[in-house]
């Protein structure tokens, strides 16, 4: 991501750490090449009917602390009209805030009866 940086500036203090804001733009295809497990458009890979997604620009903003750990990440892309059969563009955004780096964690998995596999989910565009 940082290779596509177009702007960099001080961004104040977040989670008690002075941060630098990096901004840029890339494409879904470039991100998919970096991580082939990437899913977009309601959990679909950018292949088949979603192949056009590979060219979609993704705007991003990344706040890094002085320790070079990510404190916040925002992304945004506009999905094409044709996939949704309506006149409105669908905007997909994410805003992730990270804190407590180095703190111990204890994550317990949910009971098996509360877990669904991808095969158990219903997606409208799949046959």
């Amino acid at each position: 991501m940082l290779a596509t940086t177009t702007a960099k500036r001080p961004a104040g203090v977040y989670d008690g750490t002075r941060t630098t804001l990096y901004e840029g733009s890339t494409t879904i295809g470039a991100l998919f090449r970096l991580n082939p497990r990437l899913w977009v458009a309601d959990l679909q890979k950018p292949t088949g009917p979603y192949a056009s997604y590979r060219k979609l620009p993704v705007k991003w903003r990344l706040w890094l602390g002085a320790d070079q750990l990510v404190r916040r990440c925002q992304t945004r892309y506009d999905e094409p009209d044709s996939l949704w059969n309506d006149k409105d563009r669908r905007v997909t955004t994410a805003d992730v805030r990270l804190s407590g780096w180095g703190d111990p964690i204890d994550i317990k998995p949910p009971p098996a009866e509360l877990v669904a596999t991808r095969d158990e989910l219903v997606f409208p565009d799949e046959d």
Side-chain angles (χ1 to χ4, degrees):
M1 296 272 296
L2 290 177
T4 62
T5 299
T6 57
K8 173 184 170 184
R9 64 182 175 275
V13 176
Y14 178 75
D15 192 32
T17 303
R18 185 162 302 285
T19 62
T20 301
L21 173 62
Y22 296 82
E23 296 179 86
S25 180
T26 187
T27 64
I28 296 252
L31 294 174
F32 187 69
R33 283 190 297 278
L34 293 172
N35 180 6
R37 293 176 45 185
L38 175 71
W39 294 81
V40 296
D42 297 327
L43 304 177
Q44 298 297 315
K45 286 186 178 183
T47 57
Y50 297 96
S52 63
Y53 272 49
R54 290 178 178 268
K55 295 179 182 179
L56 286 179
V58 177
K59 295 177 183 177
W60 61 267
R61 300 172 83 192
L62 194 65
W63 286 258
L64 291 183
D67 53 11
Q68 297 303 298
L69 294 174
V70 176
R71 297 298 194 246
R72 185 175 181 184
C73 177
Q74 291 179 338
T75 60
R76 173 199 166 115
Y77 66 91
D78 299 330
E79 298 180 20
D81 298 338
S82 61
L83 293 177
W84 302 104
N85 297 321
D86 61 24
K87 296 176 185 171
D88 297 324
R89 284 192 170 265
R90 181 170 165 176
V91 176
T92 298
T93 61
D95 189 351
V96 178
R97 298 169 192 241
L98 305 162
S99 62
W101 287 100
D103 289 352
I105 60 168
D106 183 19
I107 301 173
K108 294 182 179 23
E113 64 270 10
L114 297 179
V115 177
T117 66
R118 186 174 193 293
D119 292 338
E120 294 172 318
L121 302 175
V122 176
F123 297 98
D125 293 327
E126 291 185 358
D127 295 326

